[in-house]
């Protein structure tokens, strides 16, 4: 479904990714892991097109999307939830969902479907998104991604800096979406969450893939060493 | 005392013109990080449109279109290659500004021209001349229109989203390039309308825009980037300050006073009157 080959990118003259390749099959949950600063967020930003790729290709459903703009990729069925529970702060929760549903040219019913996944948002619809807690904003951010009816959901550290009770809700939501057949590309710092969720893992170090494998292999001593800070 | 009161409509109408100019700037600066020095020449284009048409009411929509299309062409042809590089846009648009001024000199001649005010704007009520009232009315209509656009239309909500978080807007499926074009068109068009308004209170010349562009930037900075409320308050305050400082001293000292006040204000509130607040940004 998603196929990344020899991807290179970075910021200005500073290169961050040196030829990253990975695959996400339909319905698969692939977890990208690695220490801070190894290029996990850069990889996701390049996959969704916020950062231009300087070399390599990204294909989605067999189509080369390396040069497409982010909004074009969203319309093809990719959704991205960036780091740091971002939202449009002056718009209401409903406004945040509406703007996305309109931009992605989806019917309004998509909002109801997203609220089924995150029912905690329902009583907050009229509230200004800037006034929500971090955990609520993260749920809103994920709901916003869902209203675009994606086939591939890209999540950058969805549990980072979120209160524990909501971490569990978010993990359960990812589990349910995955079980319902959604493909997920996830960056996750917590090994225990990754172990519970992932089908496959990709470990990055220094802008390169150093290890990939099925989830069962994550227990290995070598893997823990690669992730140790 | 009457002389003192007479400054009030002058200050308010200058503030109204500054507001129309700043509305466009605050969004092109806030949304795209573009310091558009050529914005002043869109004012000049609007004023010459009124001169050519000779009819105030017909000039308003035509000037909006003329200036808007000029802005659109500038954005597509040049500025969009310089997004997020404010200093480069400053140089680029300053050059464009000089070219446009020379173009106006070649087309209309260097001397100022006068646009006759329509007879129905002669006179006034009390201390309020009709022409100044008309300008204030234009500014009110401009602000209301921009507010309705931003909060009540799909495209306006997308504009707000891009102002608040460009990257998030793009990954939410918004075509940010199209939003940028539209913002530029509307902002430049409003400068054209401001140019028409200026024909009511003074002569029109190729350098008309340069008298207002700096003050308009002061309004943008003092009001807070991309902030409608901030632009309204700052424009009125600066308009009044300008005219009263001029009343009590002279034109050049007044400029010094205005700059000193704005600098002092920015020492206290570097972000301007209003700032976007959210937990995301803290």
């Amino acid at each position: 479904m998603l196929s990344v080959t020899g991807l290179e990118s970075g910021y200005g003259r500073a290169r961050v990714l040196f030829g990253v390749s990975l695959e996400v099959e339909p319905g698969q949950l692939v977890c990208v892991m690695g220490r801070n600063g190894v290029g996990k967020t850069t990889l996701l930003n390049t996959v969704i097109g916020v950062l231009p790729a300087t070399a390599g290709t990204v294909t989605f459903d067999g189509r080369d999307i390396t040069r497409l703009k982010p909004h074009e990729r969203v319309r093809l069925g990719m959704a991205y939830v960036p780091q740091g529970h971002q939202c449009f702060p002056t718009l209401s929760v409903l406004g945040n969902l509406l703007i996305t549903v309109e931009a992605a040219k989806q019917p309004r019913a998509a909002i109801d479907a997203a609220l089924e996944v995150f029912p905690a948002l329902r009583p907050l619809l009229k509230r200004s998104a800037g006034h929500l807690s971090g955990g609520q904003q993260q749920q809103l951010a994920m709901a916003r991604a869902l209203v675009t009816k994606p086939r591939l959901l890209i999540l950058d550290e969805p549990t980072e800096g979120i209160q524990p009770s909501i971490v569990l809700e978010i993990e359960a939501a990812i589990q349910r979406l995955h079980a319902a057949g959604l493909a997920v590309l996830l960056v996750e710092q917590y090994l225990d969450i990754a172990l519970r969720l992932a089908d496959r893992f990709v470990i990055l170090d220094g802008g390169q893939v150093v290890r990939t494998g099925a989830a069962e292999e994550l227990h290995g001593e070598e893997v823990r060493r690669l992730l140790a800070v | 005392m009457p002389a003192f009161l007479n400054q009030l409509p002058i200050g308010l109408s200058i503030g109204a013109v500054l507001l129309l100019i700043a509305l466009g700037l605050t969004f092109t600066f806030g949304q795209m990080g573009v310091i558009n020095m050529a914005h002043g020449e869109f004012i000049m284009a609007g004023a010459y449109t009124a001169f050519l048409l000779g009819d105030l009411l017909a000039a308003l929509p035509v000037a909006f279109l003329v200036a808007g299309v000029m802005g659109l062409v500038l954005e597509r042809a040049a500025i969009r290659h310089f997004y997020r590089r404010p200093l480069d846009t400053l140089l680029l648009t300053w050059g464009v500004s000089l070219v446009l001024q020379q173009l106006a000199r070649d087309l209309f001649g260097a001397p100022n021209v006068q646009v006759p005010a329509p007879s129905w704007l002669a006179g006034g009520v009390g201390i309020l001349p009709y022409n100044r009232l008309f300008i204030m009315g234009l500014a009110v209509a401009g602000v209301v229109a921009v507010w309705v656009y931003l909060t009540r239309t799909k495209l306006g909500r997308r504009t707000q989203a891009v102002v608040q978080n460009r990257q998030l807007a793009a990954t939410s499926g918004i075509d940010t390039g199209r939003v940028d074009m539209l913002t530029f068109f509307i902002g430049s068009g409003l400068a054209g309308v401001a140019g028409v308004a200026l024909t009511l209170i003074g002569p029109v010349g190729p350098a008309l825009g340069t008298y207002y562009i700096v003050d308009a930037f002061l309004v943008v900075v003092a009001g807070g980037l991309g902030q409608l409320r901030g632009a309204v308050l700052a424009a009125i305050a600066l308009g009044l300050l300008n005219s009263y400082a001029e009343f009590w001293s002279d034109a050049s000292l007044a400029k010094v006073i205005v700059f000193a006040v704005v600098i002092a204000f920015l020492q206290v509130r570097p972000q301007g009157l209003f700032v976007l607040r959210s937990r995301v940004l803290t």
Side-chain angles (χ1 to χ4, degrees), chain A residues 45 50 70-71 74-75 80 82 85-90 99-100 102-103 130-133 137 144, chain B residues 154 157-158 160-162 164-165 167-176 276-281:
Chain A
N45 277 339
V50 171
H71 72 267
V74 170
R75 283 173 202 172
Y80 182 38
H85 43 88
Q86 299 180 40
C87 59
F88 302 115
T90 67
I99 200 171
T100 315
E102 286 166 4
H131 294 149
L132 301 183
S133 75
Q137 284 181 344
R144 235 197 22 246
Chain B
K154 278 185 192 182
R157 276 197 294 270
R158 281 178 208 181
Q160 279 197 68
V162 176
Q164 290 175 21
N165 192 332
Q167 194 172 315
L168 194 62
T171 56
S172 301
I174 295 173
D175 184 346
T176 54
L276 205 59
R277 277 203 195 80
S278 158
R279 294 191 189 201
V280 185
L281 301 171

Side-chain angles (χ1 to χ4, degrees), chain A residues 11-71:
Chain A
Y11 305 87
R13 248 173 263 166
R15 257 216 290 171
V16 179
L17 298 183
F18 299 86
V20 172
S21 301
L22 65 86
E23 298 276 336
V24 181
E25 303 295 338
Q28 209 174 35
L29 195 151
V30 176
C31 187
V32 178
M33 308 193 73
R35 285 172 276 205
N36 282 330
V38 298
K40 302 187 296 291
T41 297
T42 306
L43 171 65
L44 298 193
N45 277 339
T46 315
V47 167
I48 197 68
V50 171
L51 268 180
T54 48
T57 55
V58 181
T59 62
F60 186 63
D61 288 340
R63 180 176 168 188
D64 187 348
I65 58 165
T66 318
R67 300 274 160 256
L68 290 190
K69 296 206 176 98
H71 72 267

